[in-house]
Amino acid sequence: MQDLNDMLYFTEVVDSGGFAAAGRTLGVTKSRLSRRVAALEARLGVRLLQRTTRKLSLTAAGELYHRHCVAMCDEARAADDAMAQAQTEPRGIIRVTCPVTLAQTVLGPLLPTFGARYPLVNVAMEVSNRVVDLIEDGVDVALRVRPSTADSGSLVVKHLDTTQSLLVASPALLERQQRPAVPADLARLDTVAMSAIDGRASWKLLGPGGLEHLFQHQPRFVADDLLTLKFAVLAGMGSCVLPDYMCHDELDAGRLVPVLPGWQPPPAVVYAVFPSRRGLLPAVRAFLDFLGDNLPRR
């Protein structure tokens, strides 16, 4: 296999004007340099240097080979410089995946601020609820909202926030079907939900003193998009479990109200996962730090 160091050694011998001077620059003995250049000539099958007792000169083949070696050394230095710069200033493309609702309600409004702060960083974001394989899909950071981080495997986890889901409905629905007083009363309410197996869905609710209630119901409307479900809830079609970060304004305005105060689903964790802390590019590190500093805390 070709040893690229031999090209470096040859270039330094030529540029320094001899083996001794090149050896001092490289920290390599004169005899070793001579052997390496001789081995390079033997591998190439051509003589690169004309050796006399007083000086070295390049053969025609040596001049051609030297030009290519100089170009290689310049590219190697440029690669080192690029990596040094990349370690100091965030730049380049970072690939991110984010759940749909989190992107629409939280991350989307924040990204212009990130872009203004780091103008040399480009973000390629897949807005999707699918679970990605970061290594296989070439993703730098995946954002997730789940009950826990236990299924993250060997990935590095950065906790960003804790979100609380709420069982909400429109005032019109509760007036029409009567506001529940206890968990058993939920059965008389129409519902909408993200999914239903054989037409039925279930929501776990936590109440005062650690009480639990499993609310099983038959949704009137099923859609795998929370924003679509929120429109249905606002229109009075049914009650639904929605994350707090997507219904604060509606709750403040009274267009949505809690269905059963004191009872709510378990909280969820908003977090980022990435493959490794080692060799983390400055652009990725800047993105993670930005999220940690700017995601709303509850």
Side-chain angles (χ1 to χ4, degrees), residues 145-168:
V145 183
R146 295 184 183 172
S148 77
T149 63
D151 61 349
S152 299
S154 61
L155 296 171
V156 182
V157 174
K158 181 179 178 67
H159 184 281
L160 299 173
D161 194 8
T162 299
T163 180
Q164 179 64 61
S165 292
L166 304 169
L167 178 57
V168 295

Side-chain angles (χ1 to χ4, degrees), residues 167-170 173-174 179-181 186 189 239-240 257-261 263:
L167 178 57
V168 295
S170 69
L173 177 78
L174 296 184
R179 180 190 292 270
L186 293 171
L189 292 186
S239 61
C240 186
V257 294
V259 171
L260 190 62
W263 291 84

Side-chain angles (χ1 to χ4, degrees), residues 139-275:
V139 172
D140 296 305
V141 178
L143 300 178
R144 294 175 176 172
V145 183
R146 295 184 183 172
S148 77
T149 63
D151 61 349
S152 299
S154 61
L155 296 171
V156 182
V157 174
K158 181 179 178 67
H159 184 281
L160 299 173
D161 194 8
T162 299
T163 180
Q164 179 64 61
S165 292
L166 304 169
L167 178 57
V168 295
S170 69
L173 177 78
L174 296 184
E175 183 178 350
R176 185 173 73 247
Q177 297 186 330
Q178 192 176 350
R179 180 190 292 270
V182 294
D185 295 341
L186 293 171
R188 63 172 172 254
L189 292 186
D190 289 334
T191 60
V192 299
M194 282 278 285
S195 63
I197 300 174
D198 296 328
R200 297 193 64 78
S202 62
W203 295 328
K204 180 181 178 181
L205 301 175
L206 303 180
L211 294 175
E212 294 186 8
H213 177 73
L214 186 64
F215 175 33
Q216 296 182 314
H217 53 103
Q218 185 172 354
R220 289 189 60 201
F221 175 49
V222 176
D224 62 355
D225 175 66
L226 286 171
L227 187 57
T228 301
L229 291 176
K230 186 172 83 168
F231 292 143
V233 177
L234 287 166
M237 192 173 185
S239 61
C240 186
V241 169
L242 296 175
D244 56 2
Y245 56 75
M246 72 177 302
C247 56
H248 278 309
D249 292 344
E250 290 80 6
L251 288 167
D252 290 342
R255 291 188 291 142
L256 291 178
V257 294
V259 171
L260 190 62
W263 291 84
Q264 56 193 14
V269 183
V270 181
Y271 61 100
V273 291
F274 49 99

Side-chain angles (χ1 to χ4, degrees), residues 7 11 65-78:
M7 300 175 72
T11 302
Y65 193 69
H66 179 254
R67 285 199 297 271
H68 288 287
C69 289
V70 169
M72 184 212 70
C73 292
D74 288 344
E75 285 299 314
R77 281 189 286 269

